Amino acid sequence: MWIELGISGGTAIVILIALYFVIKWAVKNGMKEAYSAITGKKTDEDIKNEKELKELGLDSENQ
């Protein structure tokens, strides 16, 4: 099937690995948004990131 599309086996593996990480990132962000929408709370990761930005002198509004 890949040969008919002109894609070698190595290229197919690289594409599938990249696709895995893109989907993983999208699902993680979707779950975080749903959690925030349902509970009205921020996740621990978001709180940690905001704290680090404040320590560096950056605000979330300046991004």
Side-chain angles (χ1 to χ4, degrees):
M1 178 176 104
W2 297 107
I3 295 172
E4 293 172 0
L5 297 172
I7 299 174
S8 67
T11 304
I13 291 173
V14 170
I15 290 171
L16 290 174
I17 291 171
L19 185 61
Y20 166 78
F21 285 107
V22 168
I23 292 172
K24 180 181 172 184
W25 171 80
V27 168
K28 180 182 175 184
N29 284 342
M31 290 175 62
K32 284 173 57 176
E33 282 185 33
Y35 175 81
S36 297
I38 292 170
T39 64
K41 299 178 185 177
K42 294 182 181 180
T43 61
D44 292 336
E45 184 180 351
D46 288 341
I47 294 169
K48 185 180 111 183
N49 289 340
E50 287 177 0
K51 182 179 177 184
E52 289 176 0
L53 285 174
K54 285 181 184 177
E55 290 175 359
L56 293 173
L58 302 173
D59 293 353
S60 59
E61 295 115 17
N62 293 339
Q63 293 181 356

